[in-house]
């Protein structure tokens, strides 16, 4: 079973999370009116065999939206790298130890 | 009990506990510690089934999980379990067993006539014969084939037993409690790690249970005693590791015998355990490989290791003249043990040269050893009575009489679990076996799993793995290495199989359970099947419930020989969970009946249940469908409830709506970005209807949001989208616009929602809250007020889903029932009555409000008639992509109202719509989403999505419902059937 290290809650089963899509692309600014950038953002995705940056929400936990680098072939998750609201937590020791109950 | 079979002493049974069981109703006895298989053999029962296709007589081949033949149906009534492997069932008192796949009995089976039809039943027979050329031939033949070729049958009676699920954590999981696993568990346990030792058998020890050496017996006892003394070591017997998954997670099933689990006392018969571990050790051992020759499926032909186990662990003498056929060293020690128990033993070794020490050890106990001897066939009708061999130096085959023929074609390491992680097994020539390609990070292997068979070495490997795994799990303190028993062993040596199996006219079985012979493999080869994966599916090799534990490698070897390629080039097969079959009941656990999935209930649920509420499922929610005050069936009740709302006043529970608190200095800006319509200027004390889009421009949800202060808003969402909308808002605040000072909090569970609707709603409100000014001026349409009921805070919104004067009231959930009862009392003199979901839905259809049935994530604002809401002056989510040409096309399926114009059949939800004069074929021009009888209009009305929408207003169309052969006509009208000007809302 895929297990995800939540920086707030520790290492948890993926069943507590909801996949939230590709996080590797930058969302167009809110006021962007052109179709093309929105089209690319909403409809065009790579399907890599390898590390994929993706959103997961810890719905049955802290409800934080996480950005996770997951290897699509091995399910190995690299330490989380980017969270605009919680950068301090992301770099804390919890990340590395994967606190277990 | 057959005294000739069971020796008076020895074995691991408890002879003081006699157990009674039955086979086909015949009473039998065995001992505590027996398996069903050993108990049957002790009772002299050798014939245990008929084979899958040819109905040939079969006996036990093995003594463990690899057994292909010995499948039984256990239990009776709802407790019946088919296809249980008899060699893995710990005998219990009262066990009821039946043999399978034979009619009328195993001894005399009519279906054995299939043997005469054998030429027809070869590889690919079903495909070639029944799949064509004549369409439908499979349909005709299938029932006959299923009856003739099959396994046990499941029953259609409810299983009274209880099954459970457990979640567990450990530091080091050790799979297999043979010598390697015991050593690993103890070594890791000494380091202080939490260890979980998993053993599918009822006893610990694995192959040690078949050893009579005092040094090994003592070592096993000592290790078990020390393990028992370590509080952080948990031992699970009767527990099989079904699968190994990502994240160091194991799925286990713990099986308790049916007599030990009492469902009435809450005891589970089987428990599926999800075990999360930091490190794990695969000590899963190896399974002996049979030899392939003519009639090798006769009862009395068994794996050598199985005969050894039956002899030493269960004290059974299964033969007096035993022929041991082998290609390797592993049989010699155990053959000597068989001879010492009094049997006349001959070893037929296919190798020309054998280790001198082995030769001498055999001679010392009067065992005759034939070298360079190849088995050709076995003879006998229901049991083996002789075997024919080609012996080097003899011009003609030799036939030797025997009453037991044991086979050892080498060993197949049990690589299944490592294979589950996606690591393909690789062929290792030094041990002529497939071993794990590698071990994943944090996984360790010890012993026979990678071809290490010499006992002291196996135990040393186990100890090392235990050491490493404990280190990995965070226990670095060094400790004493466990004792290694002093036993001498001969190194494992073997002969590779000859290029092809000896030619014989008799059937030579590769897969016993699915009846696949060398002839089938040859046919598949001649027809061009070169991939093992294709071969499996064409011949059914390895496709039985045993997943080919004894057949896969022999099949691959045969294929390699036919193709004249080395074994690695012929490939390997992929093993998938479960390792052994698992009952559906265990997988379901408690998720049956009412517990199939979680149910959400309103805080007012109990009141509804005790006041005539009849419930229906709405997504995960149980909601009141209708109340019995209004009628005894939904058809009559909802009409009565609608009348009360339209003419008087009704009260309904809308607690399932999503409720979200939105606070912060930027809350207005946030809402303004989320909704398509303007929210920046919503005044305090007012609510506004809003629609939000998905990024792709389709409609996500609608609802209302009220403003209670400069920085505080209260949003409601539809029941269906409550979870998704909340998650979406969190995404936007956390990841997209972290610069906005706004927070969102779900109040869905914290607040109950009630709706008073009807022309007399205000009168109820005035009576219920005498101090609150509820006049139209004080609380106008779309007004929002904070009030209180005693000490309890209350939010009041004047808005309407039904089209009548209506108020929504929100209070903390625990006060929901108090408010509900308060309103019923306050409105009693006005005839207030509760109304349910059916009436609620019908009222909104009359008013043309869209809901979940219309909002299918494919419609645009224009499709739903909401295009005018979209602001032209601001950006909002989904705006850019909502302008795509395809979403602006004129012929999109858009919301319309329908009025039935013919009499007879009603309108039906899901009916397909066609233009009046076109042929009724294809997908039509739309479909009906919602239907109701209109009490106001006295006719059936509906909401529908129709191509071109209201541009066809006034046209008569056809509503086709072919499932009931109904074809009705309806006229397209505005979806707002009543009060289009909204006069009733502004009273
Ligand atoms: Zn979390």
């Amino acid at each position: 079973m895929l297990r995800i290290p939540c920086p707030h809650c520790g290492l948890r089963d993926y069943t507590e999370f909801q996949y939230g899509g590709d996080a590797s692309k930058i969302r167009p600014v809110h006021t962007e009116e052109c179709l093309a950038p929105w089209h690319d953002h909403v409809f065009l995705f790579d399907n890599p065999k390898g590390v994929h940056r993706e959103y997961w929400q810890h719905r049955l936990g802290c409800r934080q939206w996480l950005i996770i680098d997951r290897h699509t072939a091995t399910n190995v998750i690299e330490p989380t790298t980017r969270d605009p609201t919680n950068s301090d937590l992301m770099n804390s020791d919890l990340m590395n130890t994967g606190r277990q109950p | 009990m057959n005294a000739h079979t069971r020796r008076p002493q020895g074995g691991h049974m408890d002879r003081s506990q006699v157990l009674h069981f039955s086979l086909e109703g015949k009473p039998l006895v065995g001992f505590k510690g027996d398996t069903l298989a050993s108990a049957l053999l002790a009772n002299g029962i050798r014939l245990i089934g008929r084979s899958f296709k040819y109905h040939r007589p079969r006996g036990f081949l093995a003594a463990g999980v690899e057994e292909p033949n010995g499948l039984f149906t256990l239990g009776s009534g709802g407790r019946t379990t088919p296809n249980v492997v008899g060699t893995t069932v710990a005998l219990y008192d009262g066990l009821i067993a039946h043999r399978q796949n034979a009619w009328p009995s195993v001894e005399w089976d009519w279906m054995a006539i299939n043997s005469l039809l054998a030429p027809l039943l070869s590889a690919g027979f079903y495909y070639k014969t029944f799949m064509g050329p004549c369409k439908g031939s499979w349909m005709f033949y299938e029932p006959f084939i299923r009856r003739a070729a099959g396994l046990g049958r499941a029953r259609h009676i409810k299983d009274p037993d209880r099954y459970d699920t457990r979640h567990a954590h450990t530091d080091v999981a050790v799979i297999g409690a043979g010598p390697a696993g015991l050593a690993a568990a103890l070594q890791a346990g000494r380091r202080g790690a939490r260890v979980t030792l998993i053993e599918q058998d009822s006893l610990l020890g694995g192959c040690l249970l078949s050893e009579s050496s005092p040094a090994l017996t003592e070592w096993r006892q000592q290790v078990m005693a020390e393990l028992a003394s370590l509080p952080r070591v948990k031992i699970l017997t009767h527990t099989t590791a079904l699968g190994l998954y990502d994240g160091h997670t194991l799925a286990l099933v713990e099986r308790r015998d049916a007599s030990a689990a009492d469902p009435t006392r809450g005891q589970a018969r089987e428990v599926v355990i999800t075990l999360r571990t930091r490190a794990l050790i695969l000590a899963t051992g190896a399974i002996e490989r049979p030899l392939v020759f003519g009639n090798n499926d006769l009862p009395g032909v068994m794996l050598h290791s199985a005969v050894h186990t039956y002899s030493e662990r269960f004290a059974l003498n299964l033969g007096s003249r035993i022929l041991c056929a082998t290609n390797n060293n592993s049989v010699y020690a155990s053959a000597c043990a068989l001879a010492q128990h009094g049997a006349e033993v001959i070893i037929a070794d296919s190798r020309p040269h054998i280790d001198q020490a082995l030769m001498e050890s055999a001679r010392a106990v009067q065992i005759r050893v034939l070298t360079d001897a190849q088995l050709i066939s076995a003879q006998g009708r229901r049991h083996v009575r002789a075997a024919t061999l080609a012996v080097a130096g003899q011009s003609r085959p030799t036939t030797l009489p025997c009453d037991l023929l044991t086979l050892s074609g080498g060993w197949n390491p049990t690589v299944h679990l490592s294979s589950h992680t996606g690591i393909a097994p690789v062929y290792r020539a030094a041990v002529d076996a497939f071993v794990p390609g590698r071990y994943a990070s944090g996984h360790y292997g010890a012993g026979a799993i990678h071809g290490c068979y010499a006992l002291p070495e196996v135990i040393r490997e186990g100890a090392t793995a235990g050491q490493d795994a404990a280190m990995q799990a965070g226990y670095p303190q060094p400790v004493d290495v466990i004792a290694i028993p002093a036993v001498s062993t001969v190194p494992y040596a073997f002969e590779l199989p000859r290029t092809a199996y000896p030619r014989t006219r008799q059937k030579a079985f590769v897969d016993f359970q699915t009846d696949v012979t060398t002839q089938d493999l040859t046919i598949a080869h001649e027809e061009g099947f070169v991939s093992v994966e294709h071969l499996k599916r064409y011949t059914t090799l390895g496709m039985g419930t045993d997943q080919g534990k004894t057949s896969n490698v022999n099949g691959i070897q045969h294929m390699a020989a036919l193709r004249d390629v080395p074994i690695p080039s012929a490939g390997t097969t992929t093993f998938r969970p479960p390792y052994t079959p698992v009952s559906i009941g265990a997988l379901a656990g408690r998720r049956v009946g009412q517990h199939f999935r979680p149910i959400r209930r309103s805080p007012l649920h109990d009141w509804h249940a005790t006041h005539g509420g009849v419930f229906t499922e709405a997504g995960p929610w149980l909601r009141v469908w209708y109340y019995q005050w209004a009628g005894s069936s939904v058809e009559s009740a909802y009409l009565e409830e609608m009348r009360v709302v339209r003419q008087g006043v009704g009260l309904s529970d809308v607690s399932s709506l999503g409720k979200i608190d939105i606070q912060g200095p930027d809350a207005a800006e946030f809402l303004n970005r989320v909704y398509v319509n303007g929210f920046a200027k919503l005044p305090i004390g007012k609510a506004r209807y809003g629609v939000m889009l998905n990024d792709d421009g389709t409609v996500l949800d609608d609802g209302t949001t009220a403003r209670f202060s400069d920085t505080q808003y209260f949003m409601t969402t539809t029941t269906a989208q409550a979870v998704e909308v909340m998650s979406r808002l969190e995404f936007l605040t956390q990841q997209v616009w972290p610069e906005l000072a706004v927070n969102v909090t779900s109040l869905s569970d914290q607040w109950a929602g009630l709706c008073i609707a009807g022309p007399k709603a205000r009168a109820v409100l005035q009576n219920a809250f005498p101090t609150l000014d509820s006049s139209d001026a004080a609380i106008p349409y779309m007004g929002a007020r904070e009030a209180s009921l005693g000490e309890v805070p209350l939010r009041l919104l004047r808005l309407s889903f039904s089209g009548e004067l209506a108020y929504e009231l929100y209070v903390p959930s625990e006060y929901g029932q108090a408010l509900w009862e308060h309103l019923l009392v306050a409105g009693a003199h006005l005839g207030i009555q509760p109304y349910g979901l059916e009436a609620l839905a019908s009222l909104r259809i009359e008013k043309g409000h869209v809901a979940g049935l219309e909002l299918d994530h494919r419609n645009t604002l224009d499709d739903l008639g909401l295009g005018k809401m979209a602001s032209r002056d601001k950006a909002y989510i989904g705006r850019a992509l909502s302008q795509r040409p395809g979403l602006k096309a004129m012929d999109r399926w858009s919301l319309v109202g329908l009025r039935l114009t013919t009499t007879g059949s009603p309108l039906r939800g899901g009916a397909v719509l066609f233009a009046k004069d076109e042929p009724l074929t294809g997908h039509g021009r739309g479909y009906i989403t919602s239907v109701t009888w209109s009490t106001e209009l006295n006719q059936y009305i509906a909401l529908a999505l129709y191509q071109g929408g209201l541009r066809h207003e006034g046209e008569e169309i056809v509503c086709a419902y072919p499932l009931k052969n109904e074809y009705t006509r309806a006229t397209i009208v505005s979806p707002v059937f009543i009060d289009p000007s909204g006069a009733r809302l502004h009273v």
Side-chain angles (χ1 to χ4, degrees):
Chain A
M1 169 164 43
L2 174 60
R3 306 195 75 209
I4 296 174
C6 174
H8 315 287
C9 311
L11 189 64
R12 313 295 299 181
D13 293 352
Y14 84 98
T15 50
E16 296 180 6
F17 296 79
Q18 176 79 29
Y19 178 65
D22 188 345
S24 67
K25 301 194 300 182
I26 296 181
R27 187 181 169 94
V29 294
H30 183 60
T31 49
E32 176 61 62
E33 287 179 31
C34 286
L35 265 181
W38 281 107
H39 169 269
D40 291 355
H41 183 74
V42 173
F43 297 112
L44 300 186
F45 300 102
D46 291 333
N47 186 16
K49 180 180 182 181
V51 177
H52 187 229
R53 178 159 293 185
E54 48 203 32
Y55 288 116
W56 289 81
Q57 188 189 18
H58 196 188
R59 280 199 182 180
L60 302 182
C62 60
R63 293 203 62 92
Q64 291 303 299
W65 280 86
L66 313 176
I67 295 175
I68 273 161
D69 289 329
R70 181 181 67 96
H71 195 289
T72 56
T74 64
N75 267 346
V76 170
I77 293 173
E78 324 255 315
T80 310
T81 51
R82 188 173 71 98
D83 177 341
T85 54
N86 290 296
S87 52
D88 50 334
L89 275 165
M90 281 293 165
N91 297 324
S92 77
D93 286 339
L94 280 175
M95 207 53 239
N96 303 321
T97 55
R99 188 175 59 189
Q100 279 198 332
Chain B
M1 207 166 295
N2 192 325
H4 297 293
T5 302
R6 183 159 264 165
R7 298 192 297 272
Q9 267 113 39
H12 285 273
M13 305 83 60
D14 177 357
R15 294 187 192 235
S16 68
Q17 291 195 54
V18 176
L19 304 176
H20 297 264
F21 70 107
S22 73
L23 180 72
E24 273 111 42
K26 185 184 167 196
L28 299 167
V29 291
F31 293 131
K32 181 86 185 165
D34 263 324
T35 62
L36 175 58
S38 69
L40 288 173
L41 289 169
N43 282 279
I45 294 166
R46 303 291 185 89
L47 185 59
I48 48 90
R50 290 277 173 169
S51 75
F52 181 69
K53 261 196 312 200
Y54 304 124
H55 288 252
R56 287 165 65 104
R58 290 283 168 83
F60 290 109
L61 177 74
V65 288
E66 69 272 30
E67 173 60 41
N69 300 325
L71 303 185
F72 295 83
T73 297
L74 297 192
S76 60
R79 287 202 167 86
T80 305
T81 311
N83 306 331
V84 180
V85 184
T87 50
T88 64
V89 177
L91 193 68
Y92 56 87
D93 209 44
L95 182 147
I96 298 167
H98 285 87
R99 291 176 284 193
Q100 300 182 159
N101 199 27
W103 186 85
S105 75
V106 171
E107 280 78 11
W108 180 246
D109 179 8
W110 276 101
M111 291 298 178
I113 199 164
N114 278 4
S115 282
L116 304 178
L117 302 175
L120 292 177
L121 294 172
S122 59
F125 165 71
Y126 295 149
Y127 295 113
K128 288 172 198 159
T129 310
F130 300 114
M131 292 305 177
C134 160
K135 198 179 167 189
S137 50
W138 171 251
M139 310 261 228
F140 177 76
Y141 287 110
E142 187 189 3
F144 299 99
I145 291 169
R146 294 254 184 249
R147 192 178 307 161
L151 300 167
R153 284 162 193 234
R155 299 288 189 276
H156 292 272
I157 312 167
K158 189 171 156 54
D159 184 348
D161 277 325
R162 199 179 168 102
Y163 299 85
D164 222 330
T165 308
R166 194 158 81 221
H167 291 270
H169 296 263
T170 194
D171 294 325
V172 178
V174 182
I175 301 119
L182 286 175
L186 183 53
Q187 194 65 51
R190 280 188 179 178
R191 287 209 164 198
R194 289 180 302 173
V195 175
T196 305
L197 177 60
I198 299 143
E199 173 53 56
Q200 62 196 358
D201 205 329
S202 55
L203 299 174
L204 303 182
C207 68
L208 298 178
L209 293 166
S210 312
E211 289 294 339
S212 48
S213 140
L216 290 174
T217 309
E218 196 192 340
W219 183 84
R220 170 175 172 266
Q221 299 290 358
Q222 279 173 355
V223 171
M224 282 167 47
E226 190 177 340
L227 284 173
S229 75
L230 294 171
R232 284 162 73 80
V233 173
K234 197 177 177 76
I235 297 172
L236 300 172
T237 53
H238 287 297
T239 302
T240 306
L242 298 172
L244 174 55
Y245 301 91
D246 292 325
H248 295 191
T249 314
L250 283 155
L252 316 175
V253 63
E254 181 183 357
R255 299 184 174 94
R256 299 166 187 168
D257 60 47
S259 63
D262 181 356
T264 62
R265 295 173 61 198
Q267 292 165 340
R269 178 167 159 192
E270 297 184 7
V271 182
V272 165
I273 305 167
T274 305
L275 178 66
R276 299 150 188 85
T277 184
R278 289 168 186 253
L280 67 97
I281 296 166
L282 298 167
T284 49
I287 289 169
E288 198 161 29
R289 199 182 297 161
L291 293 166
V292 181
F293 55 93
N295 284 340
N296 62 340
D297 65 328
L298 262 180
V301 179
M302 299 173 78
L303 291 175
H304 184 83
S305 56
V307 170
H308 181 51
T309 295
Y310 287 122
S311 176
E312 298 299 326
R313 178 171 171 183
F314 300 106
L316 292 169
N317 288 341
L318 296 181
S320 52
R321 303 178 88 174
I322 306 175
L323 179 65
C324 305
T326 185
N327 67 356
N328 66 78
N329 286 355
S330 69
V331 306
Y332 283 79
S334 45
C336 291
L338 291 173
Q340 280 161 336
H341 288 305
E344 183 187 312
V345 179
I346 299 174
I347 296 177
D349 199 317
S350 62
R351 297 171 294 176
H353 305 291
I354 299 158
D355 185 278
Q356 200 55 37
L358 287 181
M359 208 65 159
E360 276 158 23
S361 70
R363 284 197 189 118
V365 288
Q366 279 78 51
I367 293 177
R368 202 173 133 207
V369 179
L370 303 173
T371 54
D372 209 348
Q374 295 264 11
L375 265 180
I376 297 173
S377 66
Q379 277 96 50
R381 271 183 64 78
R382 299 237 177 113
H383 198 83
V384 65
R385 56 177 171 75
T388 302
L389 304 114
V391 183
Q394 296 177 9
S395 56
R396 299 180 56 187
T398 310
T399 296
L400 295 172
C402 61
D403 58 0
L404 185 62
L405 175 52
T406 74
L407 313 177
S408 179
W411 294 84
N412 295 332
T414 308
V415 298
H416 299 65
L417 289 175
S418 120
S419 177
H420 292 173
T421 62
I423 297 169
V426 295
Y427 181 75
R428 192 172 150 218
V431 287
D432 177 35
F434 287 93
V435 298
R438 61 186 170 82
Y439 294 107
S441 161
H443 296 187
Y444 305 86
I449 185 172
H450 49 240
C452 173
Y453 303 121
L455 257 185
E457 189 53 35
V458 165
I459 290 171
R460 214 167 284 128
E461 277 198 1
T464 306
Q467 198 101 275
D468 294 347
M471 181 91 89
Q472 161 83 17
Y475 297 86
Q477 319 85 313
V479 291
D480 292 344
V481 176
I482 62 166
I484 310 291
V487 285
S488 63
T489 51
V490 178
Y492 181 67
F494 60 90
E495 182 196 46
L496 280 175
R498 311 262 164 130
T499 47
Y501 295 114
R503 293 207 171 274
T504 164
R505 279 184 323 229
Q506 283 93 17
K507 286 193 184 312
F509 286 87
V510 178
D511 189 321
F512 294 84
Q513 195 180 72
T514 58
D515 267 0
V516 177
T517 65
T518 51
Q519 290 92 326
D520 294 321
L521 298 184
T522 305
I523 290 171
H525 170 70
E526 285 166 356
E527 293 183 1
F529 287 86
V530 291
S531 152
V532 171
E533 294 294 340
H534 293 162
L535 175 84
K536 278 179 67 171
R537 282 151 185 83
Y538 193 54
T539 62
T540 69
L541 173 81
M543 304 282 276
T545 61
D546 63 347
Q547 284 194 54
K549 290 186 176 67
T550 53
S551 65
N552 275 334
V553 176
N554 278 340
I556 291 168
Q557 279 184 345
H558 191 65
M559 206 63 191
L562 290 169
R563 287 175 55 198
D564 198 19
V565 296
I567 288 167
S569 312
T572 175
T573 56
T574 311
F575 296 104
R576 295 187 178 85
Y579 172 60
T580 55
V582 56
S583 66
I584 301 291
L587 295 176
R590 295 195 193 180
R591 295 183 295 276
V592 291
Q594 282 279 297
H595 303 294
F596 180 65
R597 62 174 186 187
I599 294 170
R600 298 190 71 181
R601 293 181 178 84
S602 149
L604 292 155
H605 183 90
D606 291 347
W607 188 93
H608 302 317
T610 51
H611 291 80
V614 176
F615 294 94
T616 185
E617 288 181 25
W621 287 92
L622 268 188
R623 296 188 65 182
V624 177
W625 197 12
Y626 65 96
Y627 293 87
Q628 281 168 334
W629 71 261
S632 56
S633 72
V634 67
E635 287 80 8
S636 56
Y638 87 90
L639 298 175
E640 192 56 35
E641 291 175 8
M642 280 174 81
R643 256 178 229 117
V644 163
V645 174
R646 292 267 179 252
Q647 291 161 18
V649 59
L651 180 62
S652 73
D653 179 359
V654 294
S655 298
S656 64
L657 292 177
K659 299 169 280 283
I660 301 170
D661 188 57
I662 299 168
Q663 292 197 45
D666 291 328
E669 170 64 17
F670 177 70
L671 288 167
N672 208 40
R673 293 182 186 188
V674 167
Y675 279 126
V676 301
N677 45 331
F679 266 76
K681 298 192 181 97
L682 179 68
I684 293 169
K686 287 289 267 185
R688 186 168 288 173
Y689 175 69
V691 178
M692 47 183 98
L693 304 185
N694 294 301
D695 279 344
D696 69 2
T698 58
V699 173
L700 168 62
D701 196 42
D702 67 345
T704 52
T705 292
R707 187 172 197 174
F708 287 108
S709 80
D710 259 358
T711 57
Q712 186 172 20
Y713 292 78
F714 179 69
M715 175 187 280
T716 62
T717 75
T718 61
T719 301
Q721 293 299 322
V723 171
E724 289 311 314
V725 168
M726 181 64 202
S727 185
R728 189 77 191 149
L729 299 185
E730 286 166 328
F731 177 75
L732 295 171
T733 56
Q734 294 173 27
Q735 293 289 356
V736 181
W737 305 315
E739 71 279 7
L740 290 187
V742 60
N743 256 313
V744 292
T745 307
S746 172
L747 302 176
S748 296
D749 289 336
Q750 283 73 19
W751 289 73
L754 281 56
C755 177
I756 327 174
K760 298 175 182 168
R762 184 177 295 124
V764 176
L765 208 59
Q766 276 162 352
N767 210 19
F769 303 100
T771 58
L772 179 77
D773 180 1
S774 49
S775 67
D776 187 47
I779 310 177
Y781 179 60
M782 297 310 276
R785 285 287 173 280
E786 285 181 297
S788 59
L789 173 67
E791 304 274 289
V792 180
L794 185 111
R795 284 177 176 172
L796 196 154
L797 310 180
R798 179 175 163 190
L799 43 88
S800 176
F801 195 46
S802 58
E804 300 299 327
L805 170 67
Y807 301 88
E808 285 178 5
L809 288 82
Y810 294 92
V811 281
S813 293
E814 56 271 42
Y815 298 101
Q817 186 173 329
L819 175 62
W820 176 273
E821 288 174 335
H822 181 68
L823 291 170
L824 285 179
V825 170
H829 67 289
L830 299 163
I832 193 169
Q833 289 286 6
Y835 64 100
L837 187 62
E838 191 68 23
L840 195 73
S842 296
L843 292 163
R844 68 98 190 168
I845 294 170
E846 283 187 329
K847 186 65 185 172
H849 285 312
V850 293
L853 292 164
E854 285 77 33
L855 298 172
D856 64 2
H857 284 253
R858 291 182 299 175
N859 15 55
T860 64
L861 286 171
D862 285 330
D863 295 345
L864 299 171
L866 303 171
K868 289 198 190 83
M869 285 184 66
S871 166
R872 295 173 188 283
D873 312 325
K874 63 156 191 175
Y876 54 86
I877 285 180
R879 176 169 178 161
L881 290 178
S882 71
Q883 304 303 313
R884 283 178 287 160
L887 299 188
K888 290 282 167 194
M890 299 302 282
D891 61 346
R892 289 182 56 80
W893 290 14
S894 315
L895 186 72
V896 296
L898 294 180
R899 283 186 189 217
L900 185 65
T901 48
T902 46
T903 52
S905 314
L907 292 171
R908 288 190 189 276
V912 182
L913 306 180
F914 294 91
K916 195 162 120 191
D917 296 317
E918 70 182 337
L920 304 182
T921 58
H923 295 289
R925 293 167 182 270
Y927 66 98
I928 294 181
T929 53
S930 312
V931 178
T932 187
W933 175 264
S934 168
T935 47
E936 289 253 322
L937 305 175
N938 243 350
Q939 68 176 159
Y940 274 105
I941 59 169
L943 297 179
L945 296 170
Y946 188 73
Q947 192 177 72
L950 284 175
R951 290 195 296 134
H952 298 280
E953 191 167 356
E955 290 179 17
E956 193 181 51
I957 59 165
V958 177
C959 313
Y961 200 79
L963 287 177
K964 289 192 181 286
N965 207 29
E966 289 174 0
Y967 300 89
T968 52
R969 293 188 172 208
T971 305
I972 292 178
V973 296
S974 159
V976 186
F977 293 92
I978 60 156
D979 190 25
S981 66
R984 298 185 193 181
L985 305 172
H986 295 92
V987 290

